[in-house]
Amino acid sequence: MTASHTFAGEEPDHLTQAGRRQAHVDPLAALRTPGDPPWDVYLTGTVFLDIIFTGLDSAPVRGTESWARGMGSSPGGVANMATALARLGLRTSLAAAFGDDHYGEYCWDALAQGEGIDLSASRTVPGWHSPVTVSMAYEGERTMVSHGHEPPPEAVFLHEGAPDRPPHARAAVASLTPGMRASWIAQAAREGTRIFADVGWDDTGAWDLSGLADLEHCEAFLPNAEEAKRYTGAECPRLAAHALTEHVPVAVVTLGSEGAYAVDRRTGEAAEVPAIAVEALDPTGAGDVFVAGFVTGSLAGWPLADRLAFAGLTAALSVQEFGGSLSAPGWSEIGAWWRRVQSLPGQEPAALERYAFLEGLVPERLDRVWPLRRAVPTIGFRRST
């Protein structure tokens, strides 16, 4: 059992999402050249409208009405990942179908205007309403109810990689589906895009790696411990990570409260980083944030252990807030956390050393670098005339 990193006073000051502004950091600044692809990361998928109720004392009881003390709204689904990437300073392009209802309009505006995500490959689909998820958070858990209709052909076509072809990008994040190929993955890989993949639960129960055909195009695969064990038959998630490198160069297995373990077949390097012990309010989107952190470190060329540590830190910061894209941290939160843990007595020297790579990244004057306003966490108020 690996111990978690424990820092005194790691919880950031509570700020409403509407009042946050994001410090501008470009983690790839030293690597950029005039001939670079226009986008750092491309991804595609389904955008949901997420409505999150917080402040519930217990689970809703049948036949009664429950009042929540708090509520937030935000784009969800693939928007969680897109937002996490954009807030970490990566130039992010998203191909998604949006409903032509007010929910779809709100999600489009929140992503394009609030987060600076490129939606030129996305489309509003007439006659299709936005999928919706309502999440209720209580007692450290969450219950979700979703509603949506089958996407029309235009939406399915988008998920195959934008209307014509996926835009040229340094990297792409793909969610693999057992037994299915997505043609855009192979096309993007042929053009030099680095593919990072995760996977959902295999409802078929087959857990057959050969069914993840697009894994052959991927640079890294990031399942959780249970998924990794089931796909490989290994009893230990660390052994499962090594087994996965027979199919993909880099295998990253998240270990929940134990942290994460990764193996790079190309270099023979293995790394394990403990989790940061935090009080988790809502785990929604934490896996997406972890992947975004790992992709950021990979594109920046960081050592494997630093990539794991950064991914784990961003995920830990996200679970201290409610919601998916609402809780994705940016450099403001990362910088505030790093300055705080350094300033308080009683910290573990080894733990501080593990995150020392942040010193050259976080803004020195957080109070003076706030150029980007966060998306407002509710369906917008009417503008005063």
Side-chain angles (χ1 to χ4, degrees), residues 176-182 199 202 204 206-217 221 227 230-233 243-244 246-248:
L176 304 184
T177 302
M180 296 181 61
R181 280 187 180 271
V199 68
D202 187 354
T204 69
W207 298 103
D208 181 8
L209 270 175
S210 65
L212 301 180
D214 284 324
L215 200 59
E216 65 179 329
H217 304 298
F221 184 43
E227 292 162 349
R230 288 177 180 264
Y231 272 117
T232 62
L244 287 171
E246 298 178 9
H247 306 271
V248 66

Side-chain angles (χ1 to χ4, degrees), residues 14 16 22 28 69 80 138 194 278 294 362:
H14 180 75
T16 62
Q22 194 55 260
L28 308 186
R69 290 188 291 273
N80 293 339
Y138 53 87
R194 301 164 65 179
V278 297
F294 189 82
V362 298

